[in-house]
Amino acid sequence: MSQERAVADGLTATALPKPLDLGNGLVAASFGADGSWLSIGAPHPVHGFVEMSGAPRFDESWRGDPAAARRYRGWLTEDRYAFLRLELPDEEVSGCRAGVDEEGRPVWRRTGRGWSCSVTAWAPPDRQAIVQRYVIEAAPGVRAALRFSGRLDRCALAEITEVNPPQPLEVHPEVDLHGSELAVHAKELATHALVAVDAPAGRWVTDPDGGTEWETEAGAGASGPVEITVTVSLEPPAWPGGPHRGATVTAPRIAQDDQVGGLDRIATGALRYILGCTALDVGGGDRTILTDHRLLPLSWTRDAYYQALLLLCAAPDDVAVTDVVQAHLRWLWGRGRAPGTPWMRSHLPDGRPKDLAIQADQQLYPMLELADYRRVTGRWPVPPGDGGTEPAVRWGELIAEVWRDLPRQGEDGLLAGAENPADDPSELPFALSTQILYWHTAAQLAPWSTELGLDALHLARTAQDLRTAVPLAFTCEGPFGPQWAYETDGAGHHRLYHDANDLPTAFAPKWGFCSDVDDRWAATMRFAFSEHNSGYVSGLHGGLGSAHTPGTWTLGDAQELAVAETTGDKARAASVLDRIERVAGVDGLLPETYDADTGSWLARHWFAWPAAVFGILYFGITGG
């Protein structure tokens, strides 16, 4: 796809629902509607994640205030807070268009009185840098100016349901100008950034107002259009354990099939975003997988699992892609987990826990990811450590340790948790989706029990017992007949609710936990998408939501699509696909939530999980 075609198929700047993103597994950047640089960021071995941006600092007094956190997140999407912008006179803002070409590169087309400008950005392989090129055709006398107003800082981590806020950190970056290069150094972060300009003429100067700019003649000359190339690099300190190895992985191409309601575009966008911006190299052959690269560059085992599964689904025979999952498993079971301790709610890119809350389901996803890797690739990944032990033996030891420490309670051995998968406090200790996930994990590990030396865990019998125990413990009367409760205490008390975060319940028939025509599952899902469920949102674009954040959740839409596919309801599936295609960004990515009446994005403009789940549904695989 040419740049012109990509821009023509894109959106006007005013209609763009989210910034466009670009990364190469080492650094990740975001661009505004006119191509302005909003951020460039990278994992940091001490401070989690650092970025250069023009956004205001997050006021520490806003911690614990969801409205303030959402307001700040909104600022991060706005062009007015760009750290670098190309300014041209008398721009026709309504005519600015943005799109993504077939290689996943963001492209823009800008016009104004006497000029037009084509913009392309790309990520050089295996460099901690992003490049953007402007090609300007202009009448004589038209001048262009690059204006810089950025700073280096630690990512704010503006969480809605925060448990352990980061300690305040004062950063005072310094800017130095050296001809064509602008350098920013933050000694508190031991991090350096460089903005290098390649243009026919000009240099960085300080303007009378104290700002920094590069001005040059943009008018057409004998040599034709003027080209300005900007390279922004970001260099945090070196990671322990060795240099980056094989960081850049090209997203696999998938068939573009118009018969699947746009899921091919969403799957493609998710793959590019994961491999470029969330599955980031942290040295020593390890990769973290973050929930996003701007708002919350943290790792939840839950979010990371579905991203890793999409990589396995999309390219099971592409070693470069499956090696990303291998590198994540090494990180997850190595730096991402201290021996003898559970995984916490979230972890920093270097593996340290961030939010010190324990969720039962997040102890299961790492084991499930490992089983999926073995099933898809036919081999065990290289385990963390010195590698002196046979991989299957070492993985068996690690799994056994986690399995023995699972929070089982009651005579049925169900898993209890103080927080549910929405990161909210549990009202009753046992969550339905966690028990279904528990069964699924046991069932997926069971075929490798002897190979792993885990026969003493009786995984197959555990799975069989859970398939019997869960319906008994969770069945209660609902508005559409007997159904499964959202939570129970195992002593006859039940909570009727269903949340967009609880994918395992919707996936239960696809995974094989119950049949496609199981009456209790059907009643549970009917309840979930009805006014009887407080998690349901009504409206023209209504659907399943969450108490966590208002609006229709795209994860809820993914659940509805799974239910429609399971029940053979083609009209319902088509309706979900039509709605999600309308909501999706030009790059195929999805928000956390959108307005139930208008379809406009409400929360988390950066969020890898929903598009990853739709990508998995595109491939017809959910891990079973």
Side-chain angles (χ1 to χ4, degrees):
M1 183 189 299
S2 68
Q3 177 177 343
E4 290 75 15
R5 172 65 184 278
V7 173
D9 290 346
L11 296 174
T12 61
T14 55
L16 201 67
K18 69 176 289 291
L20 298 181
D21 310 305
L22 184 65
N24 60 6
L26 294 171
V27 294
S30 289
F31 298 92
D34 62 355
S36 298
W37 294 70
L38 298 182
S39 73
I40 181 170
H44 192 286
V46 176
H47 297 292
F49 198 89
V50 295
E51 67 174 9
M52 186 156 67
S53 80
R57 286 189 173 90
F58 186 80
D59 190 322
E60 293 300 319
S61 68
W62 297 339
R63 299 285 179 192
D65 182 346
R70 291 192 177 100
R71 182 176 62 250
Y72 185 81
R73 290 178 175 188
W75 290 349
L76 300 183
T77 70
E78 297 182 17
D79 290 1
R80 62 176 172 149
Y81 293 126
F83 74 83
L84 186 66
R85 172 181 289 108
L86 178 70
E87 295 184 351
L88 287 154
D90 303 318
E91 181 163 9
E92 297 171 358
V93 176
S94 62
C96 180
R97 299 189 68 86
V100 177
D101 70 11
E102 62 182 5
E103 303 299 328
R105 299 175 300 191
V107 294
W108 297 264
R109 182 71 173 174
R110 300 168 59 183
T111 58
R113 189 172 63 184
W115 61 270
S116 64
C117 179
S118 298
V119 189
T120 306
W122 66 93
D126 303 322
R127 287 183 58 197
Q128 292 174 251
I130 302 292
V131 181
Q132 189 178 60
R133 177 173 294 155
Y134 310 90
V135 179
I136 307 169
E137 298 183 65
V142 173
R143 301 192 67 80
L146 282 165
R147 300 199 184 277
F148 175 83
S149 56
R151 59 183 179 82
L152 279 172
D153 207 345
R154 181 184 63 185
C155 181
L157 299 179
E159 289 194 72
I160 304 299
T161 57
E162 194 160 49
V163 176
N164 300 98
Q167 292 297 311
L169 177 67
E170 286 289 332
V171 180
H172 304 281
E174 298 177 351
V175 177
D176 294 314
L177 308 180
H178 303 284
S180 64
E181 295 182 342
L182 182 153
V184 185
H185 181 69
K187 64 180 181 180
E188 297 88 351
L189 303 172
T191 298
H192 178 82
L194 190 69
V195 181
V197 181
D198 183 1
R203 62 189 178 90
W204 286 108
V205 297
T206 301
D207 64 28
D209 297 326
T212 308
E213 68 174 29
W214 171 296
E215 189 174 21
T216 189
E217 175 71 39
S223 60
V226 170
E227 291 190 6
I228 301 175
T229 302
V230 178
T231 302
V232 181
S233 58
L234 181 64
E235 296 186 15
W239 283 85
H244 299 295
R245 295 201 295 266
T248 299
V249 178
T250 302
R253 292 185 179 274
I254 63 175
Q256 300 293 303
D257 184 354
D258 292 336
Q259 301 304 308
V260 293
L263 285 192
D264 49 359
R265 183 170 69 88
I266 292 173
T268 297
L271 287 166
R272 288 170 175 165
Y273 185 65
I274 294 165
L275 290 172
C277 300
T278 64
L280 298 177
D281 192 309
V282 291
D286 292 354
R287 283 183 187 257
T288 183
I289 297 184
L290 307 176
T291 188
D292 70 71
H293 77 287
R294 284 225 72 191
L295 302 180
L296 296 177
L298 300 168
S299 185
W300 278 253
T301 69
R302 184 188 308 116
D303 296 36
Y305 167 75
Y306 288 99
Q307 294 181 62
L309 179 57
L310 176 59
L311 298 182
L312 295 175
C313 291
D317 300 319
D318 187 333
V319 175
V321 175
T322 58
D323 275 356
V324 172
V325 181
Q326 174 175 233
H328 177 247
L329 285 164
R330 285 174 51 83
W331 176 91
L332 188 62
W333 290 80
R335 283 191 258 179
R337 173 181 173 269
T341 64
W343 284 280
M344 295 296 164
R345 180 205 283 183
S346 65
H347 291 253
L348 295 163
D350 68 350
R352 287 174 298 149
K354 195 278 180 185
D355 286 314
L356 304 180
I358 301 172
Q359 298 171 352
D361 68 319
Q362 293 213 86
Q363 313 311 309
L364 299 169
Y365 280 114
M367 294 186 285
L368 186 56
E369 183 178 332
L370 183 60
D372 285 342
Y373 181 90
R374 174 64 177 86
R375 172 177 53 83
V376 170
T377 67
R379 62 185 182 276
W380 295 106
V382 177
D386 59 17
T389 306
E390 175 69 23
V393 173
R394 181 57 182 147
W395 284 117
E397 293 170 349
L398 291 170
I399 292 169
E401 180 184 319
V402 172
W403 197 263
R404 285 194 296 267
D405 291 339
L406 289 174
R408 300 178 186 87
Q409 289 186 13
E411 61 181 22
D412 293 325
L414 301 181
L415 300 189
E419 283 195 344
N420 59 34
D423 293 345
D424 292 322
S426 301
E427 293 189 15
L428 297 173
F430 305 113
L432 171 65
S433 67
T434 298
Q435 315 314 317
I436 295 173
L437 179 66
Y438 183 21
W439 165 85
H440 183 51
T441 305
Q444 293 300 301
L445 284 172
W448 320 113
S449 178
T450 300
E451 195 172 308
L452 292 164
L454 297 178
D455 288 345
L457 297 183
H458 305 294
L459 295 169
R461 189 174 71 194
T462 297
Q464 181 179 356
D465 291 347
L466 285 167
R467 184 180 270 151
T468 300
V470 172
L472 288 175
F474 285 86
T475 297
C476 62
E477 194 64 29
F480 305 105
Q483 68 168 78
W484 296 333
Y486 179 73
E487 292 173 339
T488 183
D489 62 357
H493 298 95
H494 301 94
R495 178 189 176 197
L496 284 184
Y497 173 70
H498 187 76
D499 194 280
N501 289 279
D502 291 85
L503 298 175
T505 303
F507 287 170
K510 286 181 173 288
W511 281 350
F513 178 78
C514 62
S515 74
D516 292 357
V517 293
D518 186 287
D519 290 339
R520 288 166 294 185
W521 175 82
T524 303
M525 298 287 51
R526 187 179 176 188
F527 163 83
F529 292 93
S530 76
E531 302 286 351
H532 297 282
N533 177 23
S534 61
Y536 178 79
V537 182
S538 60
L540 179 63
H541 303 286
L544 184 59
S546 173
H548 187 287
T549 299
T552 302
W553 280 52
T554 50
L555 286 172
D557 291 329
Q559 289 195 43
E560 187 169 9
L561 178 60
V563 171
E565 290 178 345
T566 299
T567 58
D569 192 335
K570 294 182 178 180
R572 188 179 187 184
S575 176
V576 176
L577 289 170
D578 179 69
R579 182 166 74 246
I580 208 69
E581 171 70 4
R582 293 173 184 270
V583 170
V586 68
D587 54 3
L589 296 182
L590 298 166
E592 181 178 60
T593 70
Y594 57 93
D595 189 279
D597 294 317
T598 66
S600 60
W601 290 32
L602 291 178
R604 288 202 69 170
H605 291 68
W606 292 277
F607 198 21
W609 187 12
V613 175
F614 274 102
I616 293 164
L617 292 173
Y618 167 81
F619 287 103
I621 305 171
T622 55

